[in-house]
Amino acid sequence: MKILVTGISGYVGSALAPRLTRAGHDVVGFARDPSRVELDVPVVRGDAVTGDGLEEALTGAEVAYFLIHSMERASNGHFDSSERAAAENFARAARAAGTRRIVYLGGLVPADGPASTHLASRLEVEEILLSSCPDSVAFRASIVIGAGSRSFRFLVRLVERMPVLIVPGWGTHVTRTLDERDMLEMLTRAATNDRVGGQSLDLGGPDTVSYRELIDRIGDLMLLDRPTIGLKHLTVTPIASVVSSAIAGEDPGLIDPLMESLNKDLLPRDDRASELLGVRMHSLDSSIEHALREWEQHEKLAAR
């Protein structure tokens, strides 16, 4: 079948498209700058925020992956306004094209509702897309453990570059991270699995850890002795985000909303996704070791 992959120049889209091609699908990409796409697939130039190119890209597509996340501030407000516009334009174009299923990857939501603008925006996008095509599926995930995951890379850089790690109050909150391999397998199977249509499904690995434990585990597997100090009264502030971003070499516009999301537990509601899609989940240690090995194929890490 013809499948559209938006965000094909990004981390998830560039890894997902080859898997879909190997599964026998005709993949078409969608990107603002096709020159950034290194895959051997046709790519339509466009912008979901303005709607440009969507009609062409979705023509004949039975399934479409919405992998567009706009963390940067928009000219007319915050990133959530850009995400809302992109989702509404995409939903409208998908309905007009007769697309059967949209597959969306968003973020886990705390049990009592979104804890940040970042997660609230993800939830709003999910609702817009699910309402547009009844057979669609939305996945929610916490931190993805993979060599190209910016959240994982941020944590690795902090562990690598700080001799003593100061963990704010959010360090006691818990989550279940997701192995990149499991994420890609479930996204791939979601294109054709009849059991997941019309649902919102949470994704998470088998291990529940606090963010402080996650940082310690990364340090241990990097063979680094990095003592962590938990300061429960220290909260996430814009200054803390800027400092952490500078140490890790990341964009504060990305790190600020991500850190804001850590103020509550982020746990899957259930494990139906892996059961419905028939995917066995990797352990946390296996995930971290695999991600570090892949990273080191291109760049050496301290003490590895």
Side-chain angles (χ1 to χ4, degrees):
M1 70 173 74
K2 178 181 176 180
I3 295 180
L4 174 67
V5 178
T6 66
I8 195 167
S9 63
Y11 163 53
V12 178
S14 62
L16 175 64
R19 295 176 69 99
L20 293 170
T21 300
R22 289 196 297 271
H25 301 297
D26 296 323
V27 175
V28 175
F30 183 78
R32 285 181 292 185
D33 182 5
S35 67
R36 294 178 55 200
V37 180
E38 299 179 355
L39 305 172
D40 185 21
V41 297
V43 180
V44 176
R45 180 188 299 274
D47 186 340
V49 177
T50 63
D52 294 343
L54 286 177
E55 180 180 356
E56 176 187 353
L58 284 161
T59 298
E62 295 184 53
V63 174
Y65 285 84
F66 189 87
L67 304 173
I68 300 170
H69 292 155
S70 180
M71 298 299 290
E72 71 275 5
R73 303 299 184 186
S75 59
N76 61 342
H78 296 297
F79 63 83
D80 52 329
S81 62
S82 296
E83 291 196 327
R84 185 185 312 112
E88 290 173 344
N89 287 333
F90 195 82
R92 186 162 45 249
R95 282 197 303 269
T99 300
R100 175 178 60 84
R101 173 174 292 177
I102 298 173
V103 182
Y104 173 61
L105 179 63
L108 283 179
V109 177
D112 57 352
S116 66
T117 304
H118 162 60
L119 292 179
S121 179
R122 297 289 188 267
L123 183 58
E124 183 179 21
V125 169
E126 173 187 308
E127 293 168 348
I128 291 170
L129 297 176
L130 283 179
S131 65
S132 68
C133 298
D135 195 40
S136 296
V137 56
F139 291 122
R140 301 176 182 177
S142 180
I143 295 172
V144 174
I145 305 297
S149 166
R150 292 182 74 176
S151 299
F152 176 69
R153 293 179 70 86
F154 169 68
L155 293 176
V156 169
R157 288 305 191 196
L158 290 182
V159 171
E160 186 179 38
R161 297 173 180 178
M162 294 183 67
V164 177
L165 292 160
I166 307 298
V167 182
W170 51 256
T172 60
H173 293 298
V174 296
T175 192
R176 285 167 57 187
T177 62
L178 179 65
D179 188 293
E180 173 190 295
R181 294 166 292 182
D182 300 334
M183 173 191 70
L184 292 172
E185 184 62 26
M186 286 194 277
L187 284 172
T188 301
R189 296 188 184 192
T192 55
N193 187 293
D194 294 331
R195 304 175 67 192
V196 298
Q199 299 190 61
S200 170
L201 299 168
D202 290 358
L203 306 181
D207 301 299
T208 300
V209 291
S210 70
Y211 294 109
R212 179 172 179 174
E213 290 170 337
L214 175 59
I215 291 170
D216 287 340
R217 196 79 67 88
I218 291 172
D220 287 343
L221 292 172
M222 291 178 68
L223 307 181
L224 292 175
D225 183 13
R226 292 290 189 262
T228 56
I229 300 174
L231 298 179
K232 63 180 181 179
H233 298 298
L234 179 64
T235 59
V236 175
T237 67
I239 293 177
S241 297
V242 170
V243 172
S244 299
S245 301
I247 293 172
E250 265 291 2
D251 177 8
L254 171 76
I255 299 305
D256 184 44
L258 287 178
M259 291 184 67
E260 187 184 3
S261 302
L262 306 181
N263 285 323
K264 291 185 180 181
D265 294 344
L266 290 177
L267 294 171
R269 291 164 291 181
D270 51 50
D271 294 312
R272 288 190 304 120
S274 59
E275 295 167 2
L276 291 172
L277 292 164
V279 177
R280 294 182 62 184
M281 312 300 282
H282 289 84
S283 70
L284 177 60
D285 283 354
S286 172
S287 301
I288 295 173
E289 283 281 21
H290 181 266
L292 292 175
R293 282 196 302 271
E294 281 209 331
W295 189 330
E296 284 199 303
Q297 290 178 7
H298 307 284
E299 177 184 357
K300 288 296 181 184
L301 290 166
R304 287 280 294 174

